[in-house]
Amino acid sequence: MILFFPSAPEFPILEKQNWLIHLYYIQKDYEACKAVIKEQLQETHGLCEYAIYVQALIFRLEGNIQESLRLFQMCAFLSPQCADNLKQVARSLFLLGKHKAAIEVYNEAAKLNQKDWEICHNLGVCYIYLKQFDKAQDQLHNALHLNRHDLTYIMLGKIFLLKGDLDKAIEIYKKAVEFSPENTELLTTLGLLYLQLGIYQKAFEHLGNTLTYDPTNYKAILAAGSMMQTHGDFDVALTKYKVVACAVTESPPLWNNIGMCFFGKKKYVAAISCLKRANYLAPLDWKILYNLGLVHLTMQQYASAFHFLSAAINFQPKMGELYMLLAVALTNLEDTENAKRAYEEAVRLDKCNPLVNLNYAVLLYNQGEKRDALAQYQEMEKKVNLLKYSSSLEFDPEMVEVAQKLGAALQVGEALVWTKPVKDPKSKQQTASTSKAACFQQPLGSNQALGQAMSSAAAYRKLSSGAGGTSQLTKPPSLPLEPEPTVEAQPTEASAQTREK
């Protein structure tokens, strides 16, 4: 007698099409991938974790962050002990701007995997956005202790830049360059930091190394052109900028610097054209507005100068030199009362630049207020005497001439000595520091250095190498959180060279 037993029911294999989902995903055939995912989820009644995971990744790539967050949370519910799922949940929260919630999820992920450098790195990035720099520093140092990566060095350097500690930032970037000597973003950033401190030799060295590895790196070319522009070599700088313009045609700093090169060559109409283009591309950049006001003052177009300088003051209300230039424009527009108010604000804000007091003294003298003019002249003398001993800057001959004429008119003689005294050779040599040139601009009548020019050193991305091999399927890795993009280089700001006549 033959007995027939009913066959065991066939249960669907949850992972049977994971290989095909993986293949379509790495080939970036997202439509085919979504079709297979839909079929797989129907067969498994929505319980295939890998299919949900990849679907969430595709949603994130398409910009649907909220839906990707919901799917990653489903993955975390299906596999609560998987740190990768929690990392992806936290990343989606970060992209939604919910940094505190992201930190909580990353801390949960860290309990599951305490040796994951990505978690420490991403925690540091979240703390940066919350402006908790000490905690961010600790997390980034932990990430470097677990595994050294360029991106972690970049974010650590960014913390010190946000704090205004350029020396510490340079130390970090130097270590980063030692670790990754061919990273052009790191080399460019280090060169720009040296340029900001006025250490031109090292700046040129690092920018040159950048161009050795990447001859078309427009940030390094722009910075090198700015150095040449600073030293008055406008034709060579324009040649460099021409190369940059082929790579990046819509760069506000590029057109600003081209405009100031034409300004240095006294081609004012061309300068205004380039600066207007820069202003169109970056209407909220106060340095471009400053330069436009300066060029219009030079062309004696005082109403236009007033327009651009007023706009610059709205964005940079703490800069005394802007108020001084505004006062010059108002004086020429015969609005003496408002010019005095602007000078008072300039004197209050700028404690180092003697040109502010000189211009104010000239206005007061012309208005017959000799007592107040003498007070401003004496204040200018104090600043000049201080600068002679504490700075290596030379005084502009035109400023010296105006000051001496005013001194004679005020009957204080020409006792003010403008030449720089010879220092005792045994005295300690002054070294470049972050405070140098912060109080007083470059010599009057020349272009100022690049100022606080910073490249987007933090934009370097080092992606992981694919997702798993053929023998074992792995989830596409979560990437470290990357910093927000920054501008390639801030514009060159011309020094004020307009005086009261």
Side-chain angles (χ1 to χ4, degrees):
M1 182 178 178
I2 300 174
L3 299 176
F4 293 94
F5 296 97
S7 58
E10 293 186 5
F11 294 99
I13 301 174
L14 298 182
E15 295 85 9
K16 68 178 182 180
Q17 293 196 67
N18 281 6
W19 66 274
L20 189 56
I21 295 172
H22 177 80
L23 182 65
Y24 283 138
Y25 181 80
I26 63 174
Q27 291 177 347
K28 298 186 178 181
D29 189 353
Y30 298 131
E31 292 303 320
C33 187
K34 286 194 285 188
V36 177
I37 288 172
K38 184 178 179 181
E39 180 183 342
Q40 178 82 332
L41 290 176
Q42 285 177 349
E43 290 183 7
T44 61
H45 304 289
L47 297 178
C48 181
E49 179 193 347
Y50 187 78
I52 299 172
Y53 187 94
V54 176
Q55 178 88 62
L57 290 176
I58 294 174
F59 277 138
R60 183 190 290 165
L61 290 171
E62 293 174 346
N64 193 348
I65 310 298
Q66 191 66 50
E67 186 62 22
S68 76
L69 172 61
R70 186 183 68 81
L71 293 177
F72 281 130
Q73 287 172 334
M74 287 179 60
C75 293
F77 178 77
L78 292 172
S79 296
Q81 298 302 313
C82 179
D84 286 337
N85 291 335
L86 291 176
K87 285 162 60 177
Q88 293 291 3
V89 171
R91 184 174 178 84
S92 292
L93 288 169
F94 172 84
L95 294 173
L96 290 170
K98 300 177 180 180
H99 301 116
K100 290 184 178 179
I103 287 173
E104 293 177 3
V105 178
Y106 274 127
N107 285 328
E108 291 297 320
K111 294 177 183 178
L112 300 175
N113 188 354
Q114 297 180 354
K115 295 186 178 181
D116 190 335
W117 74 273
E118 281 186 19
I119 295 176
C120 296
H121 173 95
N122 294 346
L123 278 169
V125 174
C126 290
Y127 281 124
I128 289 176
Y129 279 89
L130 294 176
K131 301 188 183 303
Q132 299 179 17
F133 297 129
D134 292 334
K135 291 183 178 180
Q137 226 173 298
D138 293 339
Q139 292 294 339
L140 292 172
H141 279 301
N142 291 339
L144 288 174
H145 180 72
L146 293 170
N147 206 342
R148 296 170 70 188
H149 281 265
D150 297 348
L151 197 55
T152 307
Y153 279 115
I154 287 168
M155 294 307 299
L156 194 55
K158 185 177 180 181
I159 291 175
F160 291 113
L161 291 177
L162 291 171
K163 287 182 173 181
D165 192 343
L166 297 186
D167 295 329
K168 286 285 185 65
I170 286 176
E171 288 181 16
I172 294 297
Y173 283 114
K174 283 171 69 176
K175 292 179 181 178
V177 168
E178 290 175 4
F179 170 68
S180 182
E182 297 183 9
N183 187 328
T184 56
E185 289 293 340
L186 290 171
L187 289 168
T188 303
T189 303
L190 192 54
L192 286 169
L193 285 171
Y194 280 126
L195 182 61
Q196 185 174 347
L197 293 177
I199 309 175
Y200 297 112
Q201 184 62 37
K202 289 188 176 181
F204 198 78
E205 177 186 339
H206 286 89
L207 293 172
N209 290 338
T210 301
L211 295 175
T212 301
Y213 294 117
D214 182 9
T216 61
N217 189 297
Y218 73 92
K219 296 173 189 174
I221 298 173
L222 182 61
S226 177
M227 290 176 65
M228 296 167 186
Q229 180 178 349
T230 300
H231 291 87
D233 201 346
F234 302 117
D235 291 322
V236 178
L238 285 171
T239 304
K240 295 289 184 184
Y241 294 148
K242 185 177 179 180
V243 177
V244 179
C246 295
V248 187
T249 58
E250 304 297 319
S251 170
L254 170 65
W255 289 107
N256 177 85
N257 286 8
I258 291 174
M260 297 318 293
C261 276
F262 284 126
F263 178 71
K265 292 165 66 70
K266 301 187 186 303
K267 297 181 178 180
Y268 302 129
V269 176
I272 287 178
S273 298
C274 295
L275 288 170
K276 285 286 184 70
R277 181 166 183 176
N279 180 240
Y280 171 78
L281 296 171
L284 304 183
D285 192 323
W286 71 269
K287 289 187 178 181
I288 298 173
L289 295 167
Y290 172 102
N291 289 338
L292 275 166
L294 185 63
V295 176
H296 282 294
L297 275 180
T298 306
M299 295 183 69
Q300 299 182 358
Q301 297 174 349
Y302 302 114
S304 297
F306 173 82
H307 167 74
F308 289 112
L309 291 170
S310 298
I313 287 173
N314 287 331
F315 296 116
Q316 190 74 9
K318 301 298 183 182
M319 185 177 181
E321 191 171 333
L322 280 171
Y323 287 96
M324 180 192 72
L325 294 180
L326 185 67
V328 172
L330 288 167
T331 301
N332 286 279
L333 291 171
E334 299 181 357
D335 189 352
T336 308
E337 291 303 317
N338 284 321
K340 288 181 180 178
R341 293 192 184 96
Y343 274 127
E344 289 291 343
E345 188 66 16
V347 169
R348 185 182 70 83
L349 293 172
D350 197 325
K351 304 297 183 183
C352 301
N353 190 348
L355 185 57
V356 175
N357 302 93
L358 177 60
N359 277 344
Y360 193 14
V362 171
L363 173 64
L364 293 170
Y365 178 81
N366 289 336
Q367 295 297 314
E369 302 176 23
K370 293 186 178 181
R371 183 184 298 274
D372 293 334
L374 179 59
Q376 291 299 323
Y377 186 86
Q378 291 171 342
E379 186 66 27
M380 180 205 67
E381 285 183 320
K382 294 178 183 178
K383 292 181 180 180
V384 168
N385 288 324
L386 181 64
L387 287 168
K388 283 191 303 182
Y389 292 96
S390 63
S391 173
S392 61
L393 295 173
E394 299 292 336
F395 296 105
D396 184 72
E398 189 177 349
M399 174 183 172
V400 175
E401 181 184 356
V402 172
Q404 290 176 341
K405 287 181 179 179
L406 180 61
L410 292 171
Q411 299 179 351
V412 293
E414 298 182 3
L416 185 61
V417 180
W418 294 85
T419 56
K420 189 173 179 63
V422 179
K423 289 187 178 182
D424 183 0
K426 295 182 180 180
S427 64
K428 184 178 180 181
Q429 296 295 324
Q430 182 183 5
T431 58
S433 66
T434 57
S435 61
K436 182 178 178 180
C439 270
F440 186 55
Q441 308 296 332
Q442 284 273 344
L444 300 172
S446 67
N447 269 344
Q448 188 188 350
L450 193 59
Q452 296 181 351
M454 286 306 305
S455 87
S456 61
Y460 179 68
R461 292 168 172 80
K462 202 166 188 179
L463 301 182
S464 303
S465 58
T470 56
S471 60
Q472 181 181 0
L473 286 174
T474 59
K475 297 177 182 177
S478 64
L479 297 178
L481 296 180
E482 298 173 3
E484 57 188 0
T486 56
V487 197
E488 56 274 2
Q490 292 181 5
T492 298
E493 176 191 336
S495 60
Q497 54 181 335
T498 305
R499 263 163 231 80
E500 298 276 6
K501 299 295 183 184

